Amino acid sequence: MRAIMGALGLMDESRDDVLLAQIEAFKRRAPLLYFVLIVNVVALAATHYAAAPSLLSVYVPAGVTVLVAVRMVAWYRRRDAAFDLAQARKNVLLTAVLGSLIGVVLVLWSLALYPYDIERSGGYLTGHGHVVLFVGITMVSCVFLLMHVRAAALAIILIVVPLFCGRLIIIGQPIEIAVAINLVLVAAGMFHVVLAFSRDFEAMVRSRTELARLSRQNAELANVDAATGLPNRRRFFFELESIAGDSVGFAVSIGDLDGFKQINDLYGHIVGDQVLREIAARLAALAPAGACVARLGGDEFAVLLRGEDVEEAAPDVCQRLIAACAAPVVIDHLTVHVGLSVGLSIAAGDGKGPLEHYERADYALYRAKQNGRGRVELFSSEHEHLVRQTSRLEQALRRANLDREIVVMYQPMVDARSGRVISFEALARWNSPDLGAVQPDAFIPIAERSALIYALTRTVLRKALQDAAQWPQHTGLKVNLSVRDLTSSEQILGLMNIIRSSGLSPGRVTFEITESIFVDNLNLVQASIAALKALGCSIAIDDFGVGYSSLSYIHHLAPDIIKIDRCFVAGLCTDPIKAGIVKTVIELCQNVGAKSVAEGVETVEQAEVLRALGCSEFQGYYFGKPLARDKVMAFAGSGAVEVA
């Protein structure tokens, strides 16, 4: 049996897709094939009923008709059935074998009927012509209806034609020989057609199979993250939306790696990708069954949890994921460390949809990174209140007339040696007609997360430049820039045009930027800073030491000023570690040719220690709180401030 199947190509795995397509195409034609056979057999038997013996005119055709009818009914019932590969092989083989057997029986039967004449009224008419017609029509019909099953179609040609035509040639009469030659030529043409059709059919099936494979591959590529092998953002949101209306509880957690940017910067993207793959493997291994772990992009991952006990289990799962990511990552001979901060939102019958819980988890992640990193922040009613408040502030800020509502205050900076006022830092204040006075730490982060920061920065700079034009020539102006400002070339060009049109010397303007600004966009930031420096402005790094302190940033950006964060100055006189940090930063500034500015100086003791350590400038309430524009001139002209 296996030898027969092998000869017919039924054991060739490369033809598996063709076999399935053959049986799929044939199963709807099979009932018609057997119906044609029944009609032809009955017709030939009927015309020879009176002339031929009962065995040939009744019993043989009756037996063939019953067999064929059974096959016709069987195929009709299976016309909508789905065949697997084993069933396809079996049915193709059975069709070829039965087709051959039925062909042999019908040829022998027709040859047995060939000598008998058909009696008709008015005389006698030879029955030879009807037999030849039967054989020809039956062969052609069967071959064309079996076209998709090449083995069966060729078997019919190779069995019927040699047997029948050989018998006609043996008779030796010219007319029989001529008929045999015609049948052979027709059979040869059909043989060629079957082979050509079979090749085209196989090519079409393989083309369709390859197209389906490519479609599946494209679907996988569209839904899988290439770097980690995890589901990507597209797939995650598909899974997220698919649980809408699901009665089973779910939780959405979003995690962001801490310290990954520094690894990329220090060791390159190849090492960074290896770290991502290792972290992805840890997350996938620890996630419970049924969870969807995805990489959303960059160093951000998400986990979708489902289950009846998800409310109790989700926080514990997140803690385990954080602990797993905190373990050292060993790549070849290199050991690196990253952390994971997680925002979590749990569906607890609040009527919120999956996408809303995603937004909640994203907000909780933002709070987790704000509140210390390496922790899980569960979205709570307090967060809900903050979100509403933030939304209210954002809407009010979008409606605000910034020129009228934004007020600029100025905090002085003094020389550590002489106590002379050197410059003022411009600080934005918002007096909303709807909300009243809004604190900077409330509205500035909102503006920074949207395009609102562009207009806010331009407004503050324009107003500050107008005020600074009235100050003494030696007094400088410091203005803060956000990450959005520095990563928008259009914004930087706009700020440069504002400075040029103000009439104030660019040399009196210093732009302050925070360390966190470098995390994801160092190249864009570097280009923007280079443009501002080319104009003549100075650059200060604000809050140094509390963000992503890296000597590579100092090397790339060559800042003119480094500001020591107030958290180190606050414990300067009581905490030796903080004093050592401040001393180190001041020495760093001296080594790279930058001025050092201490923020948050509030006591004379702090000022004395800072001056002894070599700090260049002071800023803090000890020397002056933020001043309104009409009081700046009086303060600047009051002489030196007592330092110690």
Side-chain angles (χ1 to χ4, degrees):
M1 180 64 71
R2 290 184 64 87
I4 296 174
M5 294 177 72
L8 295 176
L10 302 181
M11 300 302 292
D12 184 357
E13 292 184 359
S14 66
R15 287 177 49 85
D16 289 349
D17 52 345
V18 177
L19 282 173
L20 291 171
Q22 284 178 329
I23 207 67
E24 184 66 27
F26 174 69
K27 69 182 182 181
R28 294 187 177 276
R29 293 170 173 79
L32 178 60
L33 166 68
Y34 290 117
F35 177 75
V36 169
L37 282 176
I38 291 173
V39 171
N40 288 352
V41 168
V42 170
L44 186 61
T47 57
H48 286 76
Y49 179 74
S54 297
L55 177 64
L56 296 177
S57 62
V58 177
Y59 297 115
V60 171
V64 172
T65 300
V66 170
L67 174 62
V68 170
V70 169
R71 294 296 297 165
M72 181 179 70
V73 172
W75 276 109
Y76 181 78
R77 288 178 175 176
R78 290 186 293 177
R79 65 190 185 280
D80 295 322
F83 291 85
D84 60 24
L85 190 57
Q87 291 172 324
R89 285 198 181 103
K90 176 183 175 182
N91 280 279
V92 168
L93 175 62
L94 187 59
T95 299
V97 172
L98 277 179
S100 301
L101 291 176
I102 292 173
V104 170
V105 170
L106 291 179
V107 169
L108 294 177
W109 176 58
S110 61
L111 288 174
L113 289 176
Y114 191 79
Y116 295 96
D117 289 333
I118 302 173
E119 184 178 353
R120 303 189 67 181
S121 59
Y124 294 93
L125 180 68
T126 180
H128 299 169
H130 193 183
V131 173
V132 172
L133 182 65
F134 166 79
V135 172
I137 291 177
T138 302
M139 180 186 69
V140 171
S141 300
C142 290
V143 168
F144 275 104
L145 289 172
L146 285 168
M147 192 79 75
H148 291 91
V149 187
R150 181 180 64 183
L154 294 180
I156 294 295
I157 297 173
L158 296 175
I159 289 173
V160 171
V161 173
L163 282 175
F164 190 73
C165 293
R167 176 58 181 149
L168 293 180
I169 292 172
I170 290 173
I171 293 174
Q173 296 297 321
I175 190 169
E176 272 82 2
I177 295 174
V179 169
I181 293 173
N182 281 335
L183 284 176
V184 169
L185 292 175
V186 170
M190 294 182 64
F191 193 92
H192 173 75
V193 169
V194 169
L195 291 179
F197 177 85
S198 178
R199 285 194 300 270
D200 292 344
F201 181 74
E202 290 189 15
M204 180 195 71
V205 170
R206 292 206 165 97
S207 176
R208 186 176 63 188
T209 302
E210 179 65 12
L211 182 61
R213 185 190 68 79
L214 291 175
S215 296
R216 288 193 302 271
Q217 187 179 53
N218 288 338
E220 290 176 1
L221 291 174
N223 289 281
V224 175
D225 175 60
T228 63
L230 292 178
N232 60 12
R233 185 182 189 89
R234 183 173 183 266
R235 181 65 186 181
F236 179 79
F237 276 98
F238 174 81
E239 293 288 336
L240 194 64
E241 292 174 359
S242 68
I243 64 175
D246 197 337
S247 59
V248 178
F250 68 91
V252 181
S253 63
I254 304 176
D256 190 83
L257 295 182
D258 304 322
F260 177 74
K261 175 62 178 176
Q262 292 92 308
I263 293 173
N264 254 351
D265 289 343
L266 194 58
Y267 302 110
H269 289 285
I270 294 178
V271 171
D273 287 347
Q274 290 177 294
V275 171
L276 288 176
R277 283 192 288 272
E278 173 62 24
I279 294 299
R282 294 180 187 181
L283 296 178
L286 281 175
C292 175
V293 182
R295 181 189 177 207
L296 300 182
D299 59 353
E300 191 172 65
F301 295 85
V303 182
L304 175 61
L305 303 167
R306 309 183 200 186
E308 300 293 344
D309 61 342
V310 70
E311 189 168 355
E312 295 77 23
D316 180 60
V317 170
C318 292
Q319 291 290 1
R320 285 190 281 115
L321 296 178
I322 290 172
C325 292
V329 178
V330 180
I331 301 171
D332 296 329
H333 302 295
L334 177 67
T335 300
V336 297
H337 294 81
V338 293
L340 182 70
S341 298
V342 177
L344 174 64
S345 180
I346 302 175
D350 53 9
K352 301 294 184 182
L355 293 178
E356 290 176 280
H357 281 286
Y358 173 84
E359 296 294 338
R360 288 179 165 194
D362 190 52
Y363 181 81
L365 172 63
Y366 168 73
R367 300 292 298 184
K369 295 184 83 69
Q370 271 194 330
N371 296 334
R373 303 174 181 273
R375 58 192 299 275
V376 56
E377 183 91 10
L378 175 62
F379 190 90
S380 64
S381 56
E382 178 185 353
H383 294 133
E384 184 74 34
H385 172 72
L386 290 172
V387 168
R388 290 199 186 101
Q389 187 178 40
T390 299
S391 178
R392 185 182 175 208
L393 284 173
E394 182 175 353
Q395 294 304 316
L397 190 58
R398 289 185 183 279
R399 296 192 303 267
N401 184 325
L402 298 182
D403 283 332
R404 193 163 55 234
E405 298 175 28
I406 293 297
V407 176
V408 182
M409 305 287 284
Y410 301 95
Q411 186 170 25
M413 297 182 189
V414 301
D415 181 78
R417 297 296 173 186
S418 65
R420 183 169 59 90
V421 176
I422 296 174
S423 61
F424 290 90
E425 180 180 358
L427 304 171
R429 300 291 186 265
W430 179 25
N431 293 320
S432 169
D434 300 322
L435 306 176
V438 183
Q439 293 299 313
D441 58 358
F443 73 86
I444 290 180
I446 293 173
E448 286 180 338
R449 291 199 295 270
S450 67
L452 294 171
I453 193 64
Y454 298 143
L456 180 60
T457 301
R458 290 194 298 267
T459 299
V460 171
L461 179 61
R462 190 163 44 246
K463 290 191 171 191
L465 289 170
Q466 291 173 356
D467 293 338
Q470 311 301 318
W471 302 345
Q473 288 295 318
H474 67 273
T475 308
L477 170 68
K478 292 181 170 63
V479 179
N480 291 283
L481 292 182
S482 75
V483 63
R484 279 184 173 268
D485 291 322
L486 284 167
T487 53
S488 168
S489 57
E490 183 179 352
Q491 173 75 342
I492 294 299
L493 291 174
L495 297 178
M496 293 169 66
N497 287 333
I498 291 174
I499 294 172
R500 291 191 189 99
S501 61
S502 70
L504 193 76
S505 169
R508 294 175 60 186
V509 179
T510 299
F511 286 106
E512 296 190 1
I513 56 181
T514 59
E515 289 180 82
S516 59
I517 216 165
F518 310 128
V519 175
D520 296 316
N521 301 285
L522 181 59
N523 291 335
L524 288 173
V525 170
Q526 193 172 357
S528 297
I529 288 175
L532 293 173
K533 280 193 166 189
L535 182 65
C537 302
S538 299
I539 298 297
I541 295 181
D542 200 7
D543 303 329
F544 187 80
V546 296
Y548 300 86
S549 301
S550 171
L551 295 179
S552 65
Y553 297 149
I554 304 298
H555 170 70
H556 287 304
L557 303 177
D560 304 287
I561 299 170
I562 296 177
K563 299 183 73 173
I564 305 168
D565 189 77
R566 64 183 67 248
C567 71
F568 299 111
V569 175
L572 180 67
C573 300
T574 57
D575 188 337
I577 295 178
K578 288 186 176 180
I581 292 173
V582 171
K583 181 176 183 294
T584 300
V585 175
I586 292 174
E587 290 175 350
L588 170 66
C589 294
Q590 293 169 347
N591 290 334
V592 299
K595 293 181 180 179
S596 54
V597 178
E599 296 181 300
V601 181
E602 297 184 354
T603 66
V604 65
E605 291 81 12
Q606 292 171 345
E608 288 175 345
V609 173
L610 287 165
R611 184 173 59 179
L613 292 174
C615 186
S616 307
E617 300 176 18
F618 300 149
Q619 179 182 7
Y621 280 11
Y622 179 76
F623 301 101
K625 296 181 179 181
L627 304 168
R629 61 188 296 270
D630 56 349
K631 296 182 179 180
V632 172
M633 282 296 294
F635 189 90
S638 62
V641 179
E642 185 65 31
V643 177

